[in-house]
Amino acid sequence: MKHPHHRAIAGVFAVHGAVGGSLATRMPWIQDHLGLDPAVLGLALLCPALGALVAMPTAGRLAHRFGGRAATRALLALWGTALALPALAPGLPWLCAALLVYGAAAGACDVVMNAQGVVVERRLGRSIMSGLHGMWSVGNFAGAGAGAAVAAAAIDARAHLALMAGALLLAGLAVTRGLPDVRPEPGEQAPPRFAVPSRAILAIGLVGLCATVTELSGAQWAAVYTVEVTGAGEGLGAATYAVFAAFMVVTRLCGDAIVRRLGPVLAVRGGAALATAGALVVATAHVPAAAVAGFALVGVGVAVTVPLVFAAAGNAGPTPGQGVAGVATITYLSGLAAPAVTGWVAGATSFPVAFGLLACVTLVMGAGAGVLRPRRERAWAGAGLESQTGAGEAGQSRQPS
């Protein structure tokens, strides 16, 4: 049975995912309602990422000042509320402003909830980060599924997103009640507002960059690749993306057991081998079945890396929040660029060449996996939280209030 802290942080990840999935399904309504062409909408959709990049480096300071539980609760509530704003925008400038607020809340909440995940993982004495990211995907699918059903019923997005915002706000307030309230030690210095990542965080971030580039390139181009290169129909192309996403989610939900057995370094290196094989299968595929199988392997191969990168960064930084903020910034930046760069390479050469190069990226991911090795004093083979009375607070370097 999961510990209450584990259930709470898993709920936070699921709610966070549901917010993003809900908005994604209603962007066509917003585009049509405001009369935006695709190029203009594409520029507007840069605003969430810009807001996140500005807000993420400050998240650790918020957690230091108010405590991890309060910061997570406030930011998750803010993001849930911000879900209603884009559909209410009367024009493009207001839409951009709404998306900036939405992205800033999303990015800052992403940092503090991953930092909370690191804290809970330390106390449990075992890996949980892969499953937490799997729960995010479950929430994302649930939000997207509900949104698709509502959109098919031609329900106004303003009403839909306002109702979802209220429901997810209440859900967020409920699940965050069970989070540990980690406070700084007396006299502990607050994290800087904007900190340059250390060499250790940059090394961990490089592994995360490789995983994010591969994951988002696969997600963005799976359907197009299968249609254009192997001659599949659009339905099978869409199914290729669905297979890629499903294999990745299932692997994340099962990934903690793999990490506990192999450790993070071997888990990432094994995943890198699978992802490299998958990218090469995709690059040489001439029939749809081969492309589908290749993308499935890529999804399995990269699934656990990003969660382990966040866990390693949270343990390597001066505070969990500061370490997570550093790698989150790197992965967000790479996530912005990855699909476009893959498309440019494919346009200049071909899709098979582009995915052949992604195989090189996954090799770098595997080669750099050693930086994810837990520090000896934080190894997961320590005292598990379940075996302790109270909240397992003894021996922690940061004490809850």
Side-chain angles (χ1 to χ4, degrees), residues 226-240:
T226 309
V227 171
E228 292 197 4
V229 177
T230 70
E234 290 188 7
L236 186 52
T240 304

Side-chain angles (χ1 to χ4, degrees), residues 20 29 33 41 140-141 149-150 173 180 187 203-204 209 213 224 254 265 275 277 298 306 309 327 356 383 386 388 390:
W29 185 96
H33 181 68
L41 179 62
N140 190 258
F141 282 145
V150 170
L173 292 174
I204 294 169
L209 181 150
V213 166
V224 175
C254 302
V265 177
V298 172
V306 169
V309 161
V327 297
E386 298 98 325
Q388 300 178 26

Side-chain angles (χ1 to χ4, degrees), residues 324-346:
V324 168
V327 297
T329 303
I330 294 169
T331 56
Y332 265 66
L333 284 171
S334 59
L336 278 174
V341 171
T342 301
W344 294 336
V345 172

Side-chain angles (χ1 to χ4, degrees), residues 22-351:
S22 298
L23 180 62
T25 59
R26 304 318 305 263
M27 289 310 300
W29 185 96
I30 293 171
Q31 178 183 6
D32 181 67
H33 181 68
L34 297 180
L36 305 177
D37 64 46
V40 173
L41 179 62
L43 289 175
L45 290 175
L46 288 175
C47 293
L50 293 175
L53 290 172
V54 170
M56 283 188 298
T58 68
R61 196 174 182 91
L62 290 174
H64 179 274
R65 181 171 181 178
F66 299 107
R69 180 171 61 197
T72 304
R73 172 172 266 204
L75 290 168
L76 189 61
L78 176 60
W79 196 35
T81 304
L83 172 62
L85 299 180
L88 299 175
L92 179 62
W94 290 101
L95 176 63
C96 291
L99 291 174
L100 277 170
V101 173
Y102 173 88
C109 186
D110 200 357
V111 170
V112 296
M113 75 186 195
N114 274 283
Q116 285 285 97
V118 171
V119 171
V120 174
E121 182 174 85
R122 287 184 191 173
R123 295 180 175 187
L124 288 171
R126 56 186 173 85
S127 171
I128 64 168
M129 291 297 286
S130 180
L132 295 182
H133 283 250
M135 287 301 298
W136 186 94
S137 297
V138 169
N140 190 258
F141 282 145
V150 170
I155 294 175
D156 191 294
R158 290 168 292 195
H160 165 224
L161 294 183
L163 288 172
M164 284 299 296
L168 292 172
L169 170 63
L170 293 175
L173 292 174
V175 297
T176 51
R177 288 171 61 89
L179 292 176
D181 191 19
V182 180
R183 300 273 183 170
E185 294 279 3
E188 183 177 325
Q189 187 174 2
R193 287 184 175 85
F194 292 94
V196 177
S198 66
R199 190 173 300 177
I201 296 298
L202 288 174
I204 294 169
L206 175 61
V207 177
L209 181 150
C210 292
T212 304
V213 166
T214 306
E215 176 183 336
L216 294 183
S217 295
Q220 179 68 42
W221 295 108
V224 175
Y225 188 102
T226 309
V227 171
E228 292 197 4
V229 177
T230 70
E234 290 188 7
L236 186 52
T240 304
Y241 167 73
V243 168
F244 168 82
F247 270 75
M248 190 163 64
V249 171
V250 171
T251 304
R252 279 185 172 163
L253 290 172
C254 302
D256 291 317
I258 299 170
V259 175
R260 290 170 205 151
R261 185 174 183 84
L262 300 179
V265 177
L266 285 180
V268 170
R269 285 178 177 163
L274 290 175
T276 301
L280 292 175
V281 169
V282 170
T284 56
H286 299 293
V287 295
V292 172
F295 278 110
L297 279 174
V298 172
V300 172
V302 300
V304 301
T305 301
V306 169
L308 291 175
V309 161
F310 278 109
N315 287 316
T319 65
Q322 193 170 332
V324 168
V327 297
T329 303
I330 294 169
T331 56
Y332 265 66
L333 284 171
S334 59
L336 278 174
V341 171
T342 301
W344 294 336
V345 172
T349 55
S350 67
F351 274 117

